[in-house]
Amino acid sequence: MKKTVFVCNECGASNAKWYGRCPACGAWNSMVEEKVSTPKGGRERARQTEPARPLTEVPKQEVERYLLGMDELDGVLGGGLVPGASLLLGGEPGIGKSTLLLQAAQMMGEQHGKVLYITGEESAHQVRLRAERLRALCPQVLLLAETNLETALEEAEKHDIKLLIVDSVQAVFSPALDSAPGSVSQVRACAAQCLEFARESDAAVILVGHVTKEGTLAGPRVLEHMVDTVLYFEGERNGSFRILRAVKNRFGSTNEIAIFDMQEKGLIPFSEPSSFFLAQKPPSMPGSSVTCLLQGSRPLLLEVQALTASSAFGNPRRLAAGFDYNRLLIIVAVLERKLGLPLGGQDIYLNVAGGMKIEDPACDLAAAAAIASSLRGYAIEDDIAVMGEIGLLGEVRGISQAERRVKEAARFGFTRAVLPGISGEALGGGTLLKVNDVRNALFVLGLI
């Protein structure tokens, strides 16, 4: 027996009738009609393979990861692929997901065993052409152009594969369901079958997911809860800079990122990303400051740029690229209220050079310094790095792992660092300019 339900594309919530706005997540026009088969008879009980026992008596199992040989990718995964783990890779069309997977498949096939690459959106000839361009041809990589997932998994069972790649989960379908490929029920069912295959065969599984115009993974959010690791591929399609970010990882940190350069021969890892972000920094220009962002265990030097201009209208504009907008408003309010800077009639534009997105509050002071530098027309000296969190009272608060940040700055030639006053004494090898509030910081930088 089949019944009709309406399922939200965003959160996966189901309802008996259609709503213009999802009652669960509040998304508009996200309810789609699905036909669900009702099983006959009573509810099946889950089979219990072994009795419950105390956690302390569960034997510890050492897991040997598959190192792919690409340090950036291995690092963001937490030290390599885990056998039997499931991974969801999302990103905009054309960002480089298939390129990354072909390179990973080649390295996996050359070092650990067979890989099955299921392509549901491209023909086998198209994938072969890309592999030739990337020089990623490997006899251990098996290619299958198939959209029927059950047929694909039957083919996977014939080979002792170590990695299964499904490109993409929205393109394949299960014949057990009547709904169209890409629907909520199909995406959920196909992902569940892939995860079951991973548990039974002890092979790692990578699913490629489309993203919506808002930048989130298409389909129900339940996919993110089902898999072990969720990675987002970010960057501008017209540029060569790419960032692979982990937003969920059961086997590692979610703060790690991998940085690549998209070239004709594929994705090239950045061994020194700080040099890339500072390569085009103009010397001694007002409105520019350098700070150190901490991404997991990796310190990155970034340039924060600001531009202030007299507003031609009664309502000044505040725009931020790569920096939290609400955080910018707080910084501007502190500069106006606590320091008396005349920013009320100024349009303020803030940009993080290189395309990075800053969420670390330790970069607040660099943003404030860049705004004050642009307003006053005074340049911050090129050998100074600025770090610190700004509170609503105008105080400069402490930051995490200050020593690592200063050492990274010293490694790239910065001899002075503006830091919160509570920072330790023995940091790096340069001169520390300790400050307790924003006024003191701007005075040390020569901006007031």
Side-chain angles (χ1 to χ4, degrees), residues 287-304:
S288 174
S289 65
V290 175
T291 187
C292 189
L293 169 70
L294 206 62
Q295 283 284 349
S297 60
R298 168 183 289 180
L300 298 176
L301 293 177
L302 299 173
E303 180 191 5
V304 180

Side-chain angles (χ1 to χ4, degrees), residues 372-426:
S373 173
S374 177
L375 179 68
R376 297 299 191 187
Y378 300 148
I380 300 174
E381 297 184 29
D382 294 330
D383 64 335
I384 298 180
V386 184
M387 310 165 212
E389 178 185 354
I390 296 178
L392 291 179
L393 303 180
E395 78 277 17
V396 176
R397 308 178 68 87
I399 58 177
S400 62
Q401 302 189 44
E403 182 176 359
R404 297 191 59 191
R405 300 174 193 259
V406 175
K407 285 183 177 179
E408 178 73 5
R411 199 163 65 88
F412 282 85
F414 290 87
T415 59
R416 290 177 289 174
V418 176
L419 288 174
I422 64 172
S423 302
E425 295 293 337

Side-chain angles (χ1 to χ4, degrees), residues 73-104:
L73 183 56
D74 289 334
V76 79
L77 292 174
L81 275 174
V82 176
S86 54
L87 187 149
L88 181 62
L89 175 64
E92 295 181 356
I95 203 69
K97 301 185 297 294
S98 299
T99 299
L100 177 65
L101 292 178
L102 269 179
Q103 293 182 248

Side-chain angles (χ1 to χ4, degrees), residues 182-231:
S183 62
V184 175
S185 56
Q186 282 284 2
V187 169
R188 184 184 301 170
C190 291
Q193 290 185 44
C194 291
L195 268 59
E196 183 180 358
F197 172 80
R199 288 190 292 267
E200 293 178 352
S201 64
D202 208 29
V205 173
I206 299 179
L207 306 176
V208 178
H210 294 167
V211 296
T212 64
K213 61 183 179 180
E214 289 82 14
T216 59
L217 284 166
R221 295 297 296 269
V222 70
L223 279 187
E224 298 187 9
H225 299 284
M226 294 170 63
V227 299
D228 298 315
T229 304
V230 179
L231 302 180

Side-chain angles (χ1 to χ4, degrees), residues 162-347:
K162 302 298 182 184
L163 173 62
L164 174 67
I165 299 174
V166 180
D167 188 7
S168 67
V169 70
Q170 278 88 5
V172 296
F173 71 95
S174 173
L177 300 177
D178 295 334
S179 53
S183 62
V184 175
S185 56
Q186 282 284 2
V187 169
R188 184 184 301 170
C190 291
Q193 290 185 44
C194 291
L195 268 59
E196 183 180 358
F197 172 80
R199 288 190 292 267
E200 293 178 352
S201 64
D202 208 29
V205 173
I206 299 179
L207 306 176
V208 178
H210 294 167
V211 296
T212 64
K213 61 183 179 180
E214 289 82 14
T216 59
L217 284 166
R221 295 297 296 269
V222 70
L223 279 187
E224 298 187 9
H225 299 284
M226 294 170 63
V227 299
D228 298 315
T229 304
V230 179
L231 302 180
Y232 277 94
F233 216 26
E234 304 171 358
E236 297 293 335
R237 284 188 293 172
N238 296 328
S240 63
F241 182 67
R242 300 288 188 272
I243 299 176
L244 185 64
R245 188 186 306 274
V247 297
K248 174 187 176 181
N249 193 353
R250 289 175 178 163
F251 308 108
S253 172
T254 56
N255 294 321
E256 301 292 344
I257 63 171
I259 303 176
F260 300 95
D261 183 18
M262 174 66 84
Q263 299 182 4
E264 183 180 358
K265 297 180 180 179
L267 292 163
I268 308 300
F270 271 115
S271 58
E272 291 287 355
S274 295
S275 60
F276 170 81
F277 292 121
L278 299 180
Q280 302 182 42
K281 180 184 179 300
S284 301
M285 289 289 292
S288 174
S289 65
V290 175
T291 187
C292 189
L293 169 70
L294 206 62
Q295 283 284 349
S297 60
R298 168 183 289 180
L300 298 176
L301 293 177
L302 299 173
E303 180 191 5
V304 180
Q305 298 176 337
L307 177 64
T308 59
S310 298
S311 177
F313 308 97
N315 188 16
R317 304 187 68 187
R318 308 282 191 259
L319 296 179
F323 197 89
D324 184 68
Y325 178 74
N326 294 324
R327 200 77 188 171
L328 170 62
L329 297 182
I330 292 175
I331 293 172
V332 172
V334 170
L335 292 177
E336 283 187 301
R337 176 74 174 179
K338 300 300 179 181
L339 278 74
L341 295 185
L343 297 172
Q346 297 284 322
D347 292 334

Side-chain angles (χ1 to χ4, degrees), residues 44-205:
E44 292 186 4
R45 295 177 58 88
R47 281 189 252 171
Q48 190 173 359
T49 57
E50 57 183 25
R53 52 185 168 177
L55 180 61
T56 54
E57 296 181 8
V58 176
K60 183 178 180 181
Q61 183 179 5
E62 297 293 338
V63 178
E64 184 177 355
R65 296 175 181 254
Y66 296 137
L67 292 176
L68 301 177
M70 188 183 292
D71 293 340
E72 292 290 307
L73 183 56
D74 289 334
V76 79
L77 292 174
L81 275 174
V82 176
S86 54
L87 187 149
L88 181 62
L89 175 64
E92 295 181 356
I95 203 69
K97 301 185 297 294
S98 299
T99 299
L100 177 65
L101 292 178
L102 269 179
Q103 293 182 248
Q106 178 204 12
M107 292 182 287
M108 185 75 178
E110 292 177 347
Q111 300 178 45
H112 302 289
K114 291 184 179 180
V115 177
L116 179 60
Y117 191 112
I118 301 173
T119 171
E121 299 179 344
E122 297 178 288
S123 67
H125 299 290
Q126 290 174 313
V127 179
R128 162 75 190 230
L129 289 175
R130 183 188 297 114
E132 288 181 348
R133 177 174 58 84
L134 301 175
R135 299 179 183 178
L137 292 175
C138 177
Q140 292 291 87
V141 178
L142 309 178
L143 184 61
L144 178 63
E146 180 61 66
T147 55
N148 188 324
L149 185 63
E150 291 187 1
T151 302
L153 293 180
E154 289 176 2
E155 184 68 21
E157 292 174 354
K158 298 178 183 178
H159 307 275
D160 183 21
I161 65 172
K162 302 298 182 184
L163 173 62
L164 174 67
I165 299 174
V166 180
D167 188 7
S168 67
V169 70
Q170 278 88 5
V172 296
F173 71 95
S174 173
L177 300 177
D178 295 334
S179 53
S183 62
V184 175
S185 56
Q186 282 284 2
V187 169
R188 184 184 301 170
C190 291
Q193 290 185 44
C194 291
L195 268 59
E196 183 180 358
F197 172 80
R199 288 190 292 267
E200 293 178 352
S201 64
D202 208 29
V205 173

